[in-house]
Amino acid sequence: MALKLPIFMDSQSTTPVDPRVLEAMIPYFTHKFGHPASRNHPFGWEAEAAVDRARGAVAGLIGARDPKELVFTSGGTESINLALKGVAEMYREKGNHIVTTIIEQRAGLDVCKRLERQGLEVTYVPVGADGLVDPETLRAALTDKTILISVMLANNEIGTVQDAAAIGKLAKEKGIVFHTDATQAVGKVPVDVEAMGIDLLSCTSHMLYGPKGVGALYVRRKNPRVRLAPMIDGGGHERGMRSGTVPVPLTVGFAAAAEICREVMPEESRRLAGLGDRLRDAFLSKIDEAYLNGHPERRLPHNLNISFAYVEGESVLMGLNKEVALSSGSACTSATLEPSYVISALGVDSELAHSSIRFGLHRFSTEEEVDFVGRRTVEVVTRLREMSPLYELAKEGVDLKTIKW
């Protein structure tokens, strides 16, 4: 069967809706259209029951004990905003200090910058060359005014998966709320808020083959009970934490996606890891000075981030963009020409950071697609290097750092 072009390999930005998810959603757009807060007639009862089932399905995927700990939002960005701003306001009498990492996605970093402008103090801890944050580095950053530790579970660019359990243990020891941005991790790798000691967890539907426009924030109710100041007022929906009509069809889709992920995750992860290894080997076996970014083992199975020295990442994308959908960084920052701040945080120099490409596999990726992308990427990188005087000088043994331009 002929390949259908272009091939989608940007699954860290979004994922296609699984047909089974769409099928589950359709009735709630048509004859099951009630408002879940309308509790005096069957239409409302039916909608409320669907939302309750959805809450339970998402709770089950992340190991939450009580479905009521899930607050539905419009997506991951809102969930992160509600977590960070909600804690900052609710716990301001206890302290004004937040600890996070320098490789959080923009939704987290930009909220922290806003909170700093409002008078809070934020410490941005570094990560190692593999993208992992050392829990002892976090410990050293804590003060008696620290009210929140926020560390993303899996990075959206390099795929490194953090040791959430160690961070959760530290947070519990110090009596500090622990939030994790798990938008990339949920549905892809096992997540257990109880075992990991997570108090707040942000996730979103469209990253696990569900619809766009709906996400969730897990808010722990016991040991400790976490309280949040709401960002949106009016109506008291979602236990007062997020007012607004809950989009029933979207929550139903979120639930269906969560249930499918919970069922297929072990097998799917193995398959995607195998495809990722196949793609990586296609690059590293045929392109010299190609480097894997992020931890080689503690990583998302579908993520591959490679730096191709002596070429511009944007040039590689331009050479492939009619055939393959890729990114040189996160969807939140790909409009800029700056090198990825995540890659730079690993200690990679600016030139190499500019050469990084992110490959994202997904549920419907095939071996044929992987082989095509591998072959075409090698061709494009080889052609660009043939036009590069820097690559030619480097191959002649010239130390480019000693050249005065």
Side-chain angles (χ1 to χ4, degrees):
M1 186 174 70
L3 280 174
K4 183 178 179 181
L5 301 179
I7 295 167
F8 185 73
M9 279 203 180
D10 192 21
S11 65
Q12 294 91 346
S13 67
T14 194
T15 57
V17 173
D18 191 298
R20 294 167 288 183
V21 170
L22 178 60
E23 183 180 0
M25 293 170 63
I26 288 175
Y28 293 89
F29 284 112
T30 55
H31 59 284
K32 297 182 178 182
F33 56 82
H35 193 302
S38 297
R39 293 176 175 167
N40 58 344
H41 55 68
F43 289 90
W45 302 335
E46 184 176 50
E48 183 181 31
V51 171
D52 287 343
R53 287 194 298 272
R55 219 182 295 279
V58 178
L61 182 61
I62 64 171
R65 293 177 178 174
D66 186 348
K68 292 180 180 179
E69 293 177 309
L70 269 293
V71 175
F72 284 121
T73 67
S74 63
T77 296
E78 186 188 340
S79 295
I80 294 166
N81 270 259
L82 177 56
L84 273 59
K85 293 176 181 176
V87 167
E89 183 175 338
M90 183 61 70
Y91 291 82
R92 58 188 172 186
E93 292 185 0
K94 182 179 179 182
N96 67 339
H97 181 232
I98 294 172
V99 175
T100 189
T101 79
I102 60 174
I103 63 167
E104 301 297 298
Q105 66 157 305
R106 281 296 178 191
L109 293 177
D110 287 354
V111 171
C112 286
K113 294 299 183 184
R114 174 177 286 273
L115 292 174
E116 284 185 290
R117 292 193 296 270
Q118 295 173 353
L120 274 81
E121 296 181 7
V122 181
T123 299
Y124 303 88
V125 301
V127 296
D130 54 10
L132 286 175
V133 61
D134 184 348
E136 291 307 308
T137 303
L138 290 171
R139 181 188 296 274
L142 302 178
T143 74
D144 58 358
K145 297 295 184 182
T146 306
I147 55 175
L148 179 69
I149 297 172
S150 182
V151 176
M152 68 191 314
L153 185 52
N155 187 267
N156 51 315
E157 291 193 35
I158 58 175
T160 296
V161 179
Q162 303 293 343
D163 187 351
I167 300 170
K169 182 179 179 181
L170 170 62
K172 291 294 177 295
E173 175 189 328
K174 298 294 185 178
I176 298 169
V177 175
F178 173 34
H179 165 257
T180 188
D181 165 11
T183 51
Q184 295 288 333
V186 170
K188 312 295 179 58
V189 293
V191 178
D192 189 323
V193 293
E194 292 297 333
M196 295 175 170
I198 296 168
D199 301 314
L200 295 166
L201 178 145
S202 301
C203 59
T204 192
S205 164
H206 77 98
M207 293 307 307
L208 47 91
Y209 312 98
K212 297 174 181 65
V214 64
L217 177 65
Y218 162 78
V219 184
R220 180 177 290 278
R221 299 187 80 186
K222 293 181 179 179
N223 302 318
R225 179 181 178 86
V226 178
R227 300 173 64 210
L228 297 177
M231 290 193 305
I232 301 174
D233 297 309
H237 308 88
E238 296 300 280
R239 298 190 359 256
M241 282 184 272
R242 201 277 185 183
S243 291
T245 300
V246 176
V248 180
L250 301 184
T251 62
V252 168
F254 195 177
E259 289 169 343
I260 293 169
C261 283
R262 194 175 182 184
E263 177 183 348
V264 307
M265 190 189 307
E267 179 183 350
E268 186 168 270
S269 294
R270 284 193 296 271
R271 188 182 78 85
L272 291 179
L275 290 179
D277 290 344
R278 187 184 183 108
L279 187 59
R280 180 200 60 204
D281 292 345
F283 298 146
L284 301 188
S285 65
K286 297 179 181 177
I287 302 176
D288 63 324
E289 296 198 58
Y291 305 97
L292 175 70
N293 294 310
H295 198 284
E297 297 171 355
R298 289 189 61 91
R299 61 186 305 108
L300 294 171
H302 65 290
N303 175 286
L304 187 67
N305 192 303
I306 301 284
S307 288
F308 301 102
Y310 309 109
V311 299
E312 286 283 339
E314 292 300 320
S315 298
V316 177
L317 294 183
M318 290 177 65
L320 292 168
N321 62 9
K322 291 184 178 179
E323 300 168 312
V324 190
L326 296 167
S327 172
S328 59
S330 77
C332 304
T333 58
S334 59
T336 73
L337 295 178
E338 293 297 315
S340 161
Y341 67 89
V342 173
I343 304 298
S344 297
L346 307 182
V348 174
D349 64 39
S350 177
E351 288 78 10
L352 198 56
H354 265 298
S355 74
S356 64
I357 301 291
R358 183 181 70 175
F359 300 84
L361 302 165
H362 58 88
R363 178 172 293 164
F364 307 106
S365 296
T366 66
E367 287 187 359
E368 292 76 15
E369 290 176 337
V370 165
D371 291 343
F372 178 87
V373 172
R375 182 172 66 253
R376 285 292 296 125
T377 303
V378 170
E379 291 171 356
V380 168
V381 171
T382 301
R383 177 171 54 82
L384 290 171
R385 283 183 172 178
E386 288 173 350
M387 298 186 292
S388 169
L390 294 180
Y391 182 65
E392 184 177 347
L393 289 170
K395 290 296 100 179
E396 292 175 355
V398 176
D399 185 354
L400 299 180
K401 295 180 180 179
T402 65
I403 296 177
K404 295 183 179 180
W405 303 99

